[in-house]
Structures are given as C-alpha cells and as structure tokens.
C-alpha cells in the first residue's frame, strides 16, 4: 500500500518537473489526477457548482504558474491544491460577505425525490444547511477533517493555524454542528 | 462513523454529496493556461543584423585603424627604421668607379653682401640681404590713409553741422566756423610738417587772444566785436588768394 503511494508522489513530482518545463501534456495528467479535490472542497465551502469549478480552475492555474519553482519532496500536489483551494474559498466568502447581505444560498437537493427517499433527502438537506450555517473557518475545519480526512496538523497548516488553535476551532465547529443536527436526531426518532 | 456524531448525524453528513464536475473541466483548464510558449531561439544581436553598408564601413574603419596602429608601431615599437641597407653598389663603385656626370648648369645668383666679422673666433653672423633700394610707400597704405582722412573730415563736418543746428534750435546766431571749408582745403593741401607748425601757431595765438580778452574792459570788448564783424564781412567779400 505504501509503495504505490510513494510512486504516486514521485510521479507527481516528475510531472511537475515536466510542467515546469512548460510541458502541457504532463500538466494535463496532473489536472486529471487532482482536479476533484479542490472542486470538492470548493463545492462544500461555497455550495455552488460554477463557483466551485472556478476555484478549482484557479487553483490549478496557480499550480501551473508555480510549476517552474516546484520543489520535489514537499507535501505534494494534493496538499498544495487543498491549501490553495481552501484559502481561495475563504477569500470568496469574505468578499461575498462584504458585497452582499444575502445568506449563503441553500444547496439544491440533487437527490431523487422519490417517496422512499424523501426522508433521506430531507436529512441530507438539513445536514447541508447545517454545514452552510457554520462560520467560514469552522466549516473549512469540518470539511478538511471530516470530508477530506486530513489530519489536524495538515488542516492546521492549510488554515495557517497552530495545532492548538486549530483543535480549538475544530471543537467549536463540531459542537455547533452537533447542536444543529440534534433536531435531526429527534426527527429521526419521531 | 465518528465518535462525536451519532450514526444518524454521520449518515446525514456523509449523504451530502458533491455533484459531478463538468466533463470538459480539464479541457477548460488547459485552454485557460497562460500562453507560455517555448522560449524563442536566441535572437541575433543587433550587431549581426546590420546592413551591408554598415559592415563595409566597419571594415573600412578597422582597416584604417589597423594601418594607423601598424604605422605607430613601426615608428615607436620597432625603433628607428633601417636606413642603411647593405647593398652592393658601394662595393662595385669602389672597384670600378663610375664616371662622374657633368655638372649641371646652375643658375647663378648674386651672393648677398656679408658683414665683416669682428673676430675670427666668433661665428659669422647670418648674412642678411641688404636692401639697396628705398622702398616706396605702397599704394594700398596710401589709399587707406586717405580714406581714413576722408572719414575723419566727414566726421568733423558732421559735428560742425550738428553744432550749428543746435544753435539754430536755441535761437542763437550761427557760430563762426573756426575753419571754413576753403581754409580746410588749404590746410589739407599743405605738407604735413608745415600744417603742424601752422596749427601750433594758431593755438598759441588763440590762447593769447583769450588771455587778452579776459583782461579787456567791456567797452574794449564791444569795440573788438565790431571790428571783428567788419573784418569777417571783408573776408567773405574778398576771396582767399
């Protein structure tokens, strides 16, 4: 299990080296390999597919720009894209707060509204609304640790926090989310 | 399942899915890449792109410079150029002297007279050509002098005329000219030394008259004015000899 992961890191570094020499084909492999992660983070942070794709594209273009100075042996392309995409989302949310008084848009429920799945869809919509209600950095902490399964240390690095501050932030986020999902539990019992 | 969520909460959060990306996302990213084209071949420096005329002028300047440098080097670095080349001519002449050519007819000039040297030990002074003829004044100098004289005479005449005009404006009677044109012509025709003596005498007479005028009584002055007027009248009537 370890060897393929190591091969993947080395392969990323080799591709980045080629991309640094302005090899578009090598960079396309990087895009196809890592485009999902920034998009997922952006979608969960922003709740909008178009904006999420814009963030993912922006992160990948920055990766292309930084390819000539890419240093192998770092945290890897995925971690780099995670950090950049998260900060791009936080920037967008900050700008959105200054430019608009509207709340974060409700996410569209893309699940099929079959009668059998109505309850599940409602739960997922409630969970999505709960995540969207969280403050930006708490939401980022939840997304990085819960959905992207990053360690606290990596998530702290992404958010430019020390580990203690991040753990405090994560604790507050979990408490808020749990309290918002408490009704869901009661509904489920009902 | 996480320890901080119930199973239902965990299921609800996990169920929040992410919609699939657009299929052409990768193509869009690649199309949006900045146009980082491969580096162009190294451009030739401007020196190599110069025209033919520029190259020719540079070649000419280089050749001329090289020539100057070689000349300077030949005269400085390599010392005095070799003048006495070993040739066989003198040896041949020593063995079989060639007949001397007849002396050429040289145009004889009279040698300038030399001054007698005061002593034999002293070096002989340089013989200077002795001017035997008196150099007459060159016409150009005479013409310039006459021209200057004319200019000065004209200037004096202008000043006299201005003075008379000023007196007329002030309502004064015209002053008697000290030098009438006729007298001036006479003075001009006189030799220079004679004219100088005459003018000196005129100045002395004027000084004596001014001194005598200062000592006169008003009656004597009036009598003198009348006498002068009569004399002036006579002089105007009688032409000068």
């Amino acid at each position: 299990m370890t060897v393929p992961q190591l091969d993947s890191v080395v392969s990323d570094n080799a591709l980045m080296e080629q991309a640094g020499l302005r090899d578009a084909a090598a960079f396309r492999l990087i895009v196809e390999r890592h485009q999902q992660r920034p998009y997922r983070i952006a979608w969960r942070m922003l709740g909008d597919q178009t904006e999420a794709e814009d963030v993912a594209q922006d992160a990948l273009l920055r990766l292309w720009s930084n390819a000539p100075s890419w240093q192998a042996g770092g945290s890897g392309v995925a971690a780099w894209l995670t950090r950049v995409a998260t900060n791009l989302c936080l920037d967008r949310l900050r700008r959105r707060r200054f430019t608009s008084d509207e709340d974060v848009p409700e996410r569209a429920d893309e699940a099929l509204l079959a009668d059998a799945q109505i309850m599940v869809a409602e739960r997922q919509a409630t969970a999505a609304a709960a995540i969207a209600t969280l403050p930006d950095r708490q939401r980022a902490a939840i997304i990085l640790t819960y959905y992207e399964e990053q360690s606290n240390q990596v998530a702290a690095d992404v958010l430019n926090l020390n580990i203690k501050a991040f753990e405090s932030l994560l604790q507050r986020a979990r408490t808020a989310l749990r309290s918002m999902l408490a009704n869901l539990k009661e509904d489920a019992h009902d | 399942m996480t320890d901080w969520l119930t199973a239902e909460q965990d299921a609800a959060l996990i169920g929040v899915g992410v919609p699939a990306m657009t299929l052409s996302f990768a193509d869009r990213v690649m199309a949006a890449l900045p146009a980082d084209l491969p580096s162009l071949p190294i451009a030739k420096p401007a020196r190599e792109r110069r025209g033919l005329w520029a190259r020719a002028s540079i070649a000419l300047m280089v050749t001329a410079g090289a020539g100057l440098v070689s000349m300077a080097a030949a005269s400085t670095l390599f010392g005095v150029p070799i003048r006495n080349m070993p040739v066989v001519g003198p040896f041949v002449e020593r063995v079989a002297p060639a007949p001397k050519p007849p002396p050429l007819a040289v145009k004889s000039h009279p040698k300038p007279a030399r001054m007698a040297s005061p002593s034999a030990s002293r070096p002989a002074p340089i013989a200077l050509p002795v001017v035997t003829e008196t150099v007459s004044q060159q016409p150009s100098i005479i013409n310039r002098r006459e021209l200057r004289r004319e200019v000065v005479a004209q200037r004096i005449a202008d000043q006299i005329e201005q003075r008379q005009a000023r007196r007329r404006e002030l309502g004064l009677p015209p002053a008697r000219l000290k030098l009438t044109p006729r007298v001036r012509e006479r003075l001009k025709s006189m030799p220079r030394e004679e004219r100088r003596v005459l003018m000196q005498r005129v100045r002395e007479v004027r000084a004596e008259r001014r001194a005598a005028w200062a000592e006169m009584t008003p009656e004597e002055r009036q009598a003198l004015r009348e006498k002068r007027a009569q004399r002036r009248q006579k002089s105007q009537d009688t032409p000068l000899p």
Side-chain angles (χ1 to χ4, degrees), chain A residues 45 86 90 135-145 155 159 166:
Chain A
M45 288 288 293
T86 304
L90 291 174
D136 297 343
R137 296 179 75 81
Q138 290 184 18
R139 193 186 321 150
I142 290 293
I143 290 169
L144 289 173
T145 56
L159 295 176
F166 177 78

Side-chain angles (χ1 to χ4, degrees), chain A residues 22 24 27-28 31-32 35-36 39-40 43-44 49 53-54 56-57 60-61 64-65 107 110 123-124 127-128 131 142 146-147 174 177-178 181-182 184-185 188, chain B residues 1-39:
Chain A
R22 292 310 181 233
F27 186 71
R28 185 178 181 93
V31 171
E32 290 174 350
Q35 62 184 355
Q36 289 291 337
Y39 170 72
R40 282 198 312 265
W43 192 90
R44 288 194 166 105
Q49 184 175 3
E53 288 189 351
D54 286 347
Q57 179 175 333
L60 288 166
L61 292 179
W64 168 262
S65 299
R107 294 175 185 179
E110 297 187 357
R123 286 179 188 178
Q124 291 175 353
I131 292 173
I142 290 293
Y146 182 78
Y147 287 106
R174 286 175 175 173
L177 188 60
R178 202 163 41 214
L181 294 178
L184 184 65
K185 185 179 178 182
Chain B
M1 168 118 184
T2 56
D3 52 353
W4 57 279
L5 289 174
T6 63
E8 293 80 9
Q9 292 170 344
D10 192 16
L13 286 175
I14 289 293
V16 179
V18 176
M21 296 181 72
T22 313
L23 291 176
S24 60
F25 177 77
D27 296 333
R28 210 168 64 212
V29 171
M30 297 307 294
L33 289 182
D36 287 339
L37 298 175
S39 59

Side-chain angles (χ1 to χ4, degrees), chain B residues 120-136:
Chain B
S121 61
R122 288 186 181 178
I126 300 172
L128 297 174
V130 178
V131 179
T132 56
E133 299 176 354
T134 56
V135 178
S136 60

Side-chain angles (χ1 to χ4, degrees), chain A residues 45-145:
Chain A
M45 288 288 293
L46 301 173
D48 183 80
Q49 184 175 3
T50 305
E51 271 196 293
E53 288 189 351
D54 286 347
V55 167
Q57 179 175 333
D58 196 1
L60 288 166
L61 292 179
R62 291 188 184 203
L63 181 64
W64 168 262
S65 299
N66 287 285
S69 59
W70 182 262
Q71 291 183 349
S75 56
V77 174
W80 193 93
L81 286 173
T82 300
R83 185 185 306 118
V84 171
T86 304
N87 286 291
L88 285 174
C89 291
L90 291 174
D91 290 342
R92 285 192 176 228
L93 290 170
R94 199 176 300 122
R95 284 201 302 270
R96 183 188 292 175
R97 193 178 305 126
F98 280 112
T99 56
S100 173
D101 293 334
E102 295 178 1
D103 295 333
V104 178
E106 292 291 335
R107 294 175 185 179
D109 184 6
E110 297 187 357
L112 295 176
L113 294 179
D115 292 340
Q117 295 181 342
I118 287 178
M119 288 297 292
V120 175
E122 286 180 352
R123 286 179 188 178
Q124 291 175 353
T126 304
I131 292 173
T133 310
L134 287 173
D136 297 343
R137 296 179 75 81
Q138 290 184 18
R139 193 186 321 150
I142 290 293
I143 290 169
L144 289 173
T145 56

Side-chain angles (χ1 to χ4, degrees), chain B:
Chain B
M1 168 118 184
T2 56
D3 52 353
W4 57 279
L5 289 174
T6 63
E8 293 80 9
Q9 292 170 344
D10 192 16
L13 286 175
I14 289 293
V16 179
V18 176
M21 296 181 72
T22 313
L23 291 176
S24 60
F25 177 77
D27 296 333
R28 210 168 64 212
V29 171
M30 297 307 294
L33 289 182
D36 287 339
L37 298 175
S39 59
L40 294 171
I42 299 172
K44 288 183 178 179
R47 191 171 295 172
E48 295 181 8
R49 291 180 306 196
R50 286 176 180 162
L52 184 61
W53 62 272
R55 290 184 204 170
S57 62
I58 289 172
L60 186 63
M61 284 189 291
V62 168
T63 306
L68 289 173
V69 168
S70 62
M71 285 172 60
S75 61
T76 57
L77 295 179
F78 304 137
V80 180
I82 299 171
R83 292 175 181 172
N84 299 323
M85 292 293 289
V87 291
V88 297
F91 298 98
V92 173
E93 190 174 0
R94 197 179 301 165
V95 174
K100 289 185 178 179
L104 296 174
V106 179
K107 189 177 181 181
S108 62
H109 293 284
K111 291 184 178 179
R114 290 195 174 192
M115 295 178 67
S117 57
S119 65
S121 61
R122 288 186 181 178
I126 300 172
L128 297 174
V130 178
V131 179
T132 56
E133 299 176 354
T134 56
V135 178
S136 60
Q137 290 179 335
Q138 297 179 4
S140 62
I141 298 176
I142 296 171
N143 292 337
R144 282 167 52 191
R145 192 170 293 168
E146 288 178 354
L147 181 63
R148 191 167 63 235
R149 234 178 243 164
E150 290 294 330
V151 170
V152 171
Q154 183 62 40
R155 193 181 303 159
I156 291 171
D158 291 344
Q159 289 178 355
I160 291 170
E161 180 60 30
Q162 289 173 5
R163 197 175 301 164
Q164 295 290 348
R166 205 158 49 239
R167 287 183 71 86
R168 281 196 298 271
E169 290 175 359
L170 294 172
L172 298 174
R176 186 178 65 84
L177 294 177
K178 293 176 181 176
L179 289 177
T180 60
R182 200 186 313 171
V183 173
R184 199 178 302 125
E185 288 298 324
R186 285 286 299 277
L187 287 173
K188 283 177 67 176
S189 62
M190 290 171 71
R192 188 174 183 180
E193 185 61 25
E194 190 178 345
R195 185 170 64 242
R196 191 185 64 79
V197 172
L198 178 63
M199 293 305 297
Q200 181 63 30
R201 179 60 191 150
V202 168
R203 290 192 193 96
E204 291 173 0
V205 170
R206 284 177 178 171
E208 291 170 3
R209 289 172 63 180
R210 275 197 292 272
W213 180 266
E215 294 174 355
M216 284 181 179
T217 60
E219 293 79 15
E220 290 173 339
R221 289 181 182 177
Q222 184 59 33
L224 186 59
R225 283 195 192 96
E226 291 172 357
K227 191 177 179 182
R228 191 183 296 169
Q230 290 173 4
R231 192 171 60 218
R232 190 180 305 152
Q233 187 66 31
K234 277 184 183 177
S235 66
Q236 289 180 354
D237 295 340
T238 306
L240 286 174

